[in-house]
């Protein structure tokens, strides 16, 4: 494949740099038998291996950081570093594993004066919601916390995640090998139909959460997107994510779980939660406009946290490649 063809790849067509799950299994075993700071130190050579082996990741890190630096007029990041972003991603993989082993406790979460307390209060009263996350930071954080009762609410919260199963197949398979009892309730976007929407509505009515990422266009419905400005350039966002919000007609929150420092042996995690102002109490004719408003609201939040946490962006492909 030529360099030009590689740059034009859709994220779903990316080939994995590491095709075996043995490195993940080894990492899991190390985490179970050694102190965390020892494993964190081992992450550095793993990140360096990925940095050396994936020219695509290096190229796209630099593209993203240059766009962000231009958008923030040179303020963020202060220095462009593909390795720092790849190292941050490697740490995030470990953090996901920590979460699914039950090693991340709620006292590691830094809460803010935003809409998190409102969300917790709603969940306490068994009123569910749709959470729209992203690949900025750790999208798994809230889901894994909920699975171990580490969510600041007095009762269990059912969580259903909508995600491309192919993209997480290796991780989920490894997770089940290490912890067969872990409950991962995942729906593939291709399986969504009217019956699925009814089941998701029932989950929310029972006080559960539906979680989906809003920053990757569909692997199959690639022509269904919303085009908008992101970090100073036009980019495509998934129409289907925001359509689901319209169909569920429930409270929508934007959720970001971000490491307090890019590189640290003893991390804590910021949990940012903001309720959307868009409500789908409208006719079908008005629905399309509100779908676009919801997408725009999400993108503005994404930009804000990219600026604050520039190296925690984990979309390693040309995000600004437009497909007509």
């Amino acid at each position: 494949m030529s360099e030009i063809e590689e740059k034009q790849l859709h994220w779903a067509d990316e080939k994995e740099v590491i095709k075996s799950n043995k490195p993940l299994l080894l990492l899991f075993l190390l985490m179970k038998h050694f102190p965390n700071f020892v494993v964190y130190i081992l992450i550095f050579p793993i990140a360096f291996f990925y940095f050396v082996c994936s020219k695509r990741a290096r190229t796209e890190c630099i593209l993203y950081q240059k766009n962000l630096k231009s958008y923030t007029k040179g303020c963020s990041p202060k220095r462009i570093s593909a390795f720092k972003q790849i190292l941050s991603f490697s740490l995030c993989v470990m953090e996901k594993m920590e979460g699914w082993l039950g090693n991340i406790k709620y006292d590691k979460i830094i809460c803010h004066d935003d809409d998190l307390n409102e969300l917790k209060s709603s969940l306490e009263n068994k009123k569910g919601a749709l959470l729209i996350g992203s690949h900025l930071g750790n999208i798994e954080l809230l889901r894994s916390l909920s699975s171990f009762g580490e969510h600041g609410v007095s009762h269990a919260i059912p969580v259903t995640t909508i995600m491309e199963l192919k993209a997480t197949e290796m991780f989920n398979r490894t997770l089940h090998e290490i912890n067969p009892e872990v409950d991962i309730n995942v729906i593939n976007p291709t399986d969504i139909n009217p019956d699925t929407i009814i089941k998701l509505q029932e989950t929310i009515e029972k006080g559960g959460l539906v979680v989906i990422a809003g920053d990757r266009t569909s692997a199959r419905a690639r022509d269904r997107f919303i085009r908008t400005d992101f970090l100073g350039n036009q980019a495509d966002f998934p129409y289907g994510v925001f359509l689901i919000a319209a169909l569920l007609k429930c409270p929508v929150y934007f959720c970001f779980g971000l490491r307090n420092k890019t590189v640290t042996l003893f991390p804590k995690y910021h949990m940012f939660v903001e309720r959307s102002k868009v409500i789908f109490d409208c006719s079908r004719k008005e629905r399309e406009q509100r779908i676009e408003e919801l997408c725009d609201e999400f993108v503005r939040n994404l930009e804000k946290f990219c600026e604050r946490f520039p190296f925690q962006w984990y979309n390693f492909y040309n995000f600004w490649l437009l497909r007509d």
Side-chain angles (χ1 to χ4, degrees):
M1 182 182 296
S2 70
E3 187 174 342
I4 293 175
E5 289 174 325
E6 187 178 15
K7 286 181 179 179
Q8 293 177 342
L9 275 178
H10 188 273
W11 70 264
D13 297 328
E14 271 286 322
K15 292 182 179 180
E16 297 182 38
V17 175
I18 301 173
K19 298 182 180 180
S20 168
N21 74 331
K22 289 181 180 178
L24 286 176
L25 283 170
L26 177 61
L27 193 54
F28 265 120
L29 292 173
L30 288 171
M31 290 171 65
K32 291 186 75 172
H33 299 292
F34 289 91
N36 277 1
F37 76 88
V38 174
V39 186
Y40 268 94
I41 292 170
L42 292 174
I43 288 293
F44 283 79
I46 293 172
F48 183 73
F49 170 79
Y50 186 63
F51 173 77
V52 170
C53 292
S54 180
K55 181 180 178 182
R56 180 83 188 274
R58 298 195 304 271
T59 300
E60 302 309 341
C61 283
I62 292 170
L63 172 65
Y64 153 73
Q65 290 178 38
K66 283 183 175 179
N67 281 349
L68 177 59
K69 196 173 183 71
S70 174
Y71 174 76
T72 61
K73 296 180 172 56
C75 294
S76 179
K78 292 182 179 179
R79 185 174 65 85
I80 289 174
S81 171
F83 177 70
K84 195 170 183 179
Q85 188 172 337
I86 290 170
L87 174 59
S88 177
F89 170 68
S90 302
L91 291 170
C92 182
V93 172
M94 179 178 167
E95 289 162 357
K96 289 181 180 184
M97 296 177 183
E98 275 194 286
W100 285 113
L101 288 171
N103 294 339
I104 295 181
K105 305 302 180 185
Y106 197 71
D107 60 9
K108 284 190 175 183
I109 303 300
I110 303 168
C111 300
H112 296 269
D113 185 20
D114 52 20
D115 295 323
L116 177 59
N117 286 332
E118 177 189 315
L119 175 60
K120 285 165 58 178
S121 177
S122 294
L123 294 172
E124 190 69 54
N125 294 314
K126 296 191 175 181
K127 296 178 182 178
L130 171 68
L131 300 188
I132 301 180
S134 70
H135 293 82
L136 178 74
N138 188 350
I139 194 174
E140 302 264 354
L141 187 59
L142 191 141
R143 189 161 68 112
S144 60
L145 284 170
S146 295
S147 293
F148 290 92
E150 296 283 344
H151 41 53
V153 178
S154 64
H155 55 80
I157 300 172
V159 179
T160 299
T161 302
I162 302 171
M163 66 167 61
E164 296 282 350
L165 293 178
K166 181 183 175 184
T168 58
E169 183 179 2
M170 185 186 297
F171 182 84
N172 291 340
R173 186 174 73 248
T174 307
L175 189 60
H176 277 293
E177 286 184 38
I178 296 294
N179 186 358
E181 296 181 0
V182 73
D183 181 25
I184 305 177
N185 189 8
V186 178
I187 294 176
N188 198 321
T190 57
D191 296 332
I192 292 179
N193 55 45
D195 290 337
T196 314
I197 294 296
I198 291 171
K199 289 179 181 178
L200 293 175
Q201 287 173 330
E202 290 172 351
T203 296
I204 290 168
E205 288 168 4
K206 292 175 183 177
L209 293 171
V210 175
V211 181
I212 191 168
D215 62 341
R216 284 188 181 176
T217 54
S218 171
R220 289 162 180 81
R222 300 183 186 186
D223 58 340
R224 300 295 303 277
F225 55 78
I226 299 173
R227 185 163 291 172
T228 187
D229 280 335
F230 173 60
L231 300 182
N233 291 286
Q234 291 271 288
D236 294 338
F237 287 81
Y239 174 82
V241 169
F242 305 101
L243 173 62
I244 288 172
L247 295 175
L248 292 177
K249 295 182 179 179
C250 67
V252 176
Y253 292 84
F254 307 122
C255 184
F256 297 86
L258 295 146
R259 193 181 314 111
N260 62 327
K261 295 180 181 179
T262 302
V263 180
T264 174
L265 298 181
F266 304 99
K268 288 196 170 186
Y269 309 92
H270 292 279
M271 182 66 73
F272 297 101
V273 176
E274 182 173 319
R275 182 169 179 169
S276 171
K277 299 176 178 61
V278 178
I279 302 173
F280 289 96
D281 57 347
C282 59
S283 65
R284 188 160 184 169
K285 184 178 179 181
E286 294 176 82
R287 190 176 71 182
E288 291 304 311
Q289 180 181 343
R290 296 199 187 185
I291 286 173
E292 292 189 7
E293 288 173 0
L294 180 63
C295 177
D296 185 69
E297 198 176 7
F298 166 75
V299 173
R300 301 293 78 80
N301 271 273
L302 185 60
E303 287 177 328
K304 176 174 66 178
F305 291 114
C306 281
E307 182 173 355
R308 288 186 60 180
F309 302 90
F311 296 108
Q312 295 187 49
W313 169 261
Y314 308 134
N315 278 317
F316 298 111
Y317 64 95
N318 187 348
F319 200 83
W320 292 269
L321 178 65
L322 303 180
R323 301 177 184 276
D324 294 319

